[in-house]
Amino acid sequence: MRILASTAAAALLAIAAPAFAQEIGTEISAPAGEGMLGGMFTGARDGSQPVVLIIPGSGPTDRDGNNPMGVRAATLSLLAEGLEQQGIASVRIDKRGMFSSASATADPNAVTLADYAGDVLSWVSVIKAETGVSCVTIAGHSEGGLVALLAARAGGADVCGLVLLAAPGRPLRTTLEAQLGASPVFAGSMDQIRAMFDRIEAGETVPLAEMPAAVRGVLPPPVHPFLGNLFRTDPAEAAAAIPGTPMLLVYGEKDSQITLEDWHALRTARPDAHSLILPFATHALKDAAGNDPAAAAATYTDPDLPLTTGVAEAMASFVRLHAGN
């Protein structure tokens, strides 16, 4: 089982570790926090192509969609490559405090969703200024989808539309409790875990000695403030708050982290949203044949596996449709 969490816990493990870079494009930067954010621009930079800003998921996930904890799917670099083939430019980014964005904050755990959303708007401003496009489409994978929703609320006409790729539709606590409860490792501790979550949601940092032993290595105290921020944020509520922003929802039926319940929550909040449901795709937006656990695991670790057919094409169609808002 893969824990969704903000895997902000993972942020503690290896922010200084090298990303598994896929050098598809050229470097670009934007101001934020105490320094600069780093990203990779793929496609035409002269304004002749619509531009998509791609936000990575939770924890120490880099701009290519990889992280030092063993995820090497390269989902986001493959997406940038696929969009380029469809005539769509993209900027994929490293999050505040991580990898090429390390200078933006000394502590990558001392962040909020509002910080990340503000960083996205900084990127939108830089992209508009550099390319001359009138607006930018924001695409967020997993937790990045929640950041995209919050950024769009403040972005107004600068945001052409939103693409939510395997993004949460329910508060993280709901999803996390379901994931933990389904695992024999955590099932026996769920009453204590829920009590700990009550304290975190209320804004408390729970001392390590007071935490259930089963989750001490997964959700250590330094990540509790950000985790509480996630617990208190409802993605469906955020989606309903931006009724005029075009939206595309992309979900895989074999995703064990974000399920079609999340899609349903967002679709209920925004019944006008476009949807693309991928019957064989995992959370990495790659197909896993049959019910073979090894095949599903390979979608997270094999960068040579292609994205599910149709993802880049559907995104490109949506972007072109709304590029002028």
Side-chain angles (χ1 to χ4, degrees):
M1 181 190 71
R2 294 179 183 273
I3 303 299
L4 172 66
S6 84
T7 331
L12 296 172
L13 298 180
I15 292 308
F20 307 116
Q22 308 289 318
E23 298 301 331
I24 301 168
T26 55
E27 296 286 342
I28 185 173
S29 61
E34 303 162 13
M36 299 296 291
L37 303 167
M40 186 71 76
F41 196 113
T42 301
R45 295 177 77 151
D46 60 2
S48 62
Q49 296 177 332
V51 184
V52 178
L53 177 66
I54 303 174
I55 309 169
S58 61
T61 301
D62 68 18
R63 61 197 183 192
D64 294 327
N66 300 323
N67 72 47
M69 300 183 70
V71 176
R72 301 196 61 168
T75 294
L76 304 185
S77 59
L78 289 171
L79 182 60
E81 190 173 12
L83 289 172
E84 184 179 30
Q85 292 169 359
Q86 297 292 318
I88 305 295
S90 66
V91 175
R92 59 192 195 278
I93 62 174
D94 285 322
K95 296 186 296 183
R96 178 185 291 225
M98 302 185 193
F99 309 115
S100 66
S101 298
S103 71
T105 179
D107 183 359
N109 288 315
V111 294
T112 65
L113 288 170
D115 290 334
Y116 284 154
D119 292 348
V120 167
L121 296 182
S122 179
W123 277 115
V124 169
S125 295
V126 167
I127 292 167
K128 288 185 61 183
E130 177 159 333
T131 66
V133 297
S134 61
C135 58
V136 176
T137 300
I138 303 175
H141 181 244
S142 193
E143 182 186 286
L146 178 55
V147 175
L149 282 166
L150 298 180
R153 293 178 68 169
D158 288 343
V159 179
C160 304
L162 289 178
V163 180
L164 305 183
L165 302 162
R170 301 165 292 167
L172 176 67
R173 179 172 179 174
T174 301
T175 304
L176 190 54
E177 286 185 3
Q179 288 186 349
L180 294 174
S183 168
V185 175
F186 305 102
S189 304
M190 286 309 298
D191 286 344
Q192 298 97 314
I193 291 171
R194 291 188 188 96
M196 181 186 79
F197 283 175
D198 286 342
R199 296 171 67 181
I200 291 173
E201 188 168 355
E204 188 176 344
T205 295
V206 181
L208 192 67
E210 298 176 20
M211 292 174 58
V215 295
R216 289 177 185 174
V218 181
L219 301 170
V223 307
H224 292 181
F226 185 63
L227 195 59
N229 190 189
L230 287 166
F231 283 0
R232 295 186 294 271
T233 304
D234 186 339
E237 184 179 283
I242 45 174
T245 303
M247 192 175 296
L248 171 64
L249 311 175
V250 181
Y251 287 80
E253 291 194 36
K254 291 194 174 183
D255 190 337
S256 60
Q257 295 177 241
I258 296 292
T259 72
L260 291 186
E261 290 185 59
D262 293 277
W263 166 79
H264 181 72
L266 290 173
R267 189 71 172 79
T268 300
R270 283 292 307 272
D272 61 319
H274 304 272
S275 293
L276 176 63
I277 306 300
L278 307 166
F280 305 107
T282 69
H283 195 63
L285 300 179
K286 298 183 177 189
D287 286 350
N291 295 311
D292 181 5
T299 66
Y300 289 86
T301 59
D302 186 352
D304 293 326
L305 285 178
L307 293 184
T308 296
T309 300
V311 172
E313 293 83 355
M315 279 186 64
S317 295
F318 174 82
V319 171
R320 283 192 290 267
L321 180 63
H322 300 290
N325 209 23

